[in-house]
Amino acid sequence: MQSDIDVSKIIHMQQDRTALWHEIAPSCSAREFLGLMEQNHLSNFLLWHEEDVARRDDLGAERIRQAKRRIDQFNQQRNDVVEAMDQHIVKTLNPKLTGCPFNSETPGAMIDRLSILSLKKFHMREETLRTDASAEHRRICTQRLQTIRTQLQDLGAALSDLLLEIQAGTRSFRVYYQFKMYNDRTLNPELRRPDGQLKESALP
């Protein structure tokens, strides 16, 4: 079965949404597999900016606590959608279960990395245009921007090659479920403790 994934369209969507969401309130409108990729990119977009907030020291403890909780939430959403993207690809391409090498990185994880690179590209380009920064700062950021562009190109090509290999039956992958435990009350013993109680750490 042929893949419905066009890597060049993925990269274009991620870069388009990055620019758009800096102008208007971010939201998702796409459906099906493109909708999953858009949701993944939105989680990374929100995560990126909340990480910036979490590193400020002038907002007070409550706002930083709130930022940490939001980071946790966006990371969970991001991981969930990566798994959903991989599940879609498994259903679409039906990768072989035996008889060929297995890729350690899944297509969904690679799409997630492309999303982060698109955000890096946007924000690094902003740094190259700052009029309040030194010429040396802009020069260094221009070099870094070129590296990010090369990484985007290389990763996009690697994803395209992997999808072709999966279709040809020469390489495969499995959905790597994260089974995150820290957000699950049934798996995280700290979340089951009575209010105010904390297990004494075994570490010094």
Side-chain angles (χ1 to χ4, degrees), residues 121-132:
K121 178 183 175 184
F122 180 91
H123 288 283
M124 193 63 71
R125 182 177 179 276
E126 281 191 324
E127 293 298 313
T128 70
L129 302 175
R130 280 179 54 193
T131 57
D132 63 333

Side-chain angles (χ1 to χ4, degrees), residues 82-83 86-87 90 106 173-177:
V82 167
E83 290 177 7
D86 283 330
Q87 289 168 347
V90 166
T106 69
F173 79 100
R174 290 188 178 91
V175 180
Y176 290 129
Y177 296 99

Side-chain angles (χ1 to χ4, degrees), residues 130-165:
R130 280 179 54 193
T131 57
D132 63 333
S134 67
E136 177 65 7
H137 175 85
R138 293 194 298 272
R139 183 189 67 79
I140 292 172
C141 291
T142 298
Q143 290 179 338
R144 291 176 177 175
L145 178 60
Q146 184 54 49
T147 299
I148 291 168
R149 286 172 172 155
T150 300
Q151 291 172 337
L152 265 168
Q153 183 178 14
D154 291 348
L155 182 56
L159 175 57
S160 294
D161 289 345
L162 175 60
L163 293 171
L164 289 173
E165 290 176 309

Side-chain angles (χ1 to χ4, degrees), residues 5 7 10-11 13-14 33 36-38 40-41 44 82 85-86 89 105-118 155 159 163:
I5 302 173
V7 176
I10 294 173
I11 295 173
M13 181 275 290
Q14 291 168 337
F33 188 65
L36 289 174
M37 290 186 288
E38 190 177 38
N40 170 256
H41 191 56
N44 281 324
V82 167
M85 289 191 292
D86 283 330
I89 296 169
E105 186 174 34
T106 69
M110 296 171 79
I111 292 169
D112 180 65
R113 286 177 58 201
L114 286 171
S115 167
I116 296 168
L117 281 171
S118 293
L155 182 56
L159 175 57
L163 293 171

Side-chain angles (χ1 to χ4, degrees), residues 163-182:
L163 293 171
L164 289 173
E165 290 176 309
I166 292 170
Q167 290 170 206
T170 58
R171 182 166 288 274
S172 189
F173 79 100
R174 290 188 178 91
V175 180
Y176 290 129
Y177 296 99
Q178 297 294 320
F179 297 127
K180 296 292 186 182
M181 301 176 70
Y182 51 78

